[in-house]
C-alpha cells in the first residue's frame, strides 16, 4: 500500500471506504436499501411494516441519512394528509450488486463464522 493511502485512510472525511461504510454499514441502512429494492416505491409506514424491529425514530434518521447521501429519493405530495414516498436513486441502484455480493458471501460463510466465534469464545475460557 502506498504511503499516501495510509495518510488518506487515517482521516475519515478523506477516506472514501470509511466514509461510505460508516453511512451504509450500520444496523439499518442495508435493510432499508434492500427493502426499497423489493418494494420500489414505498411510504414510511410500509417500510416500517417490512422492518418491524426498527423504531420509527431510527427509520426516520436512517432515511434522512440515505437521502443526504443521494441513495434515497423522498417525494412529498402536497395533499392532506401529506403523502411521502421513498425510492432508490440510480446511485443506490449501482450499489445494489455489491450489496447482493456481500449478502451472498455472508450467507455462504455464516455457519463457518459462527463455528469460529464459538471456538474463539471457548479458547478464552
Amino acid at each position: 500500500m502506498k504511503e499516501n493511502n495510509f495518510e488518506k485512510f487515517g482521516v475519515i472525511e478523506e477516506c472514501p471506504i470509511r466514509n461510505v461504510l460508516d453511512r451504509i454499514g450500520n444496523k439499518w441502512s442495508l435493510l432499508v436499501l434492500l427493502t426499497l429494492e423489493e418494494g420500489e416505491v414505498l411510504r414510511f409506514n410500509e417500510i416500517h411494516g417490512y422492518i418491524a424491529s426498527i423504531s420509527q425514530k431510527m427509520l426516520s434518521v436512517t432515511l434522512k441519512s440515505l437521502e443526504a447521501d443521494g441513495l434515497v429519493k423522498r417525494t412529498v405530495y402536497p395533499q392532506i394528509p401529506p403523502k411521502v414516498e421513498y425510492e432508490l436513486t440510480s446511485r443506490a441502484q449501482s450499489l445494489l450488486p455489491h450489496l447482493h455480493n456481500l449478502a451472498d458471501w455472508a450467507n455462504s460463510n455464516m455457519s463457518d463464522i459462527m463455528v469460529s466465534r464459538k471456538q474463539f469464545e471457548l479458547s478464552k475460557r
Side-chain angles (χ1 to χ4, degrees):
M1 198 178 275
K2 296 180 181 176
E3 185 64 34
N4 61 352
N5 281 340
F6 286 118
E7 292 175 20
K8 184 169 78 172
F9 294 158
V11 181
I12 192 168
E13 294 82 14
E14 296 176 17
C15 177
I17 297 166
R18 287 179 62 196
N19 197 297
V20 169
L21 286 179
D22 183 53
R23 294 299 282 253
I24 65 166
N26 62 45
K27 185 175 181 178
W28 302 112
S29 292
L30 293 179
L31 290 175
V32 169
L33 291 171
L34 293 172
T35 299
L36 285 170
E37 176 190 24
E38 290 289 319
E40 295 184 15
V41 177
L42 296 172
R43 296 179 73 178
F44 184 91
N45 286 332
E46 291 173 315
I47 299 168
H48 189 256
Y50 288 119
I51 313 173
S53 55
I54 190 172
S55 70
Q56 288 187 349
K57 178 177 175 45
M58 184 71 338
L59 178 56
S60 179
V61 167
T62 301
L63 285 167
K64 285 178 185 174
S65 174
L66 294 171
E67 183 183 7
D69 284 351
L71 298 172
V72 169
K73 178 184 173 196
R74 180 178 183 263
T75 304
V76 179
Y77 297 94
Q79 61 188 49
I80 306 291
K83 179 181 175 184
V84 180
E85 293 180 335
Y86 298 90
E87 63 186 303
L88 297 178
T89 63
S90 59
R91 182 176 299 150
Q93 293 288 346
S94 72
L95 176 62
L96 289 175
H98 306 287
L99 298 182
H100 290 277
N101 286 336
L102 178 59
D104 290 344
W105 182 90
N107 286 326
S108 296
N109 289 279
M110 192 61 200
S111 60
D112 290 337
I113 290 171
M114 296 307 289
V115 168
S116 294
R117 288 178 183 174
K118 189 170 209 152
Q119 290 173 344
F120 180 79
E121 285 303 314
L122 291 173
S123 73
K124 294 296 176 187
R125 293 182 183 178

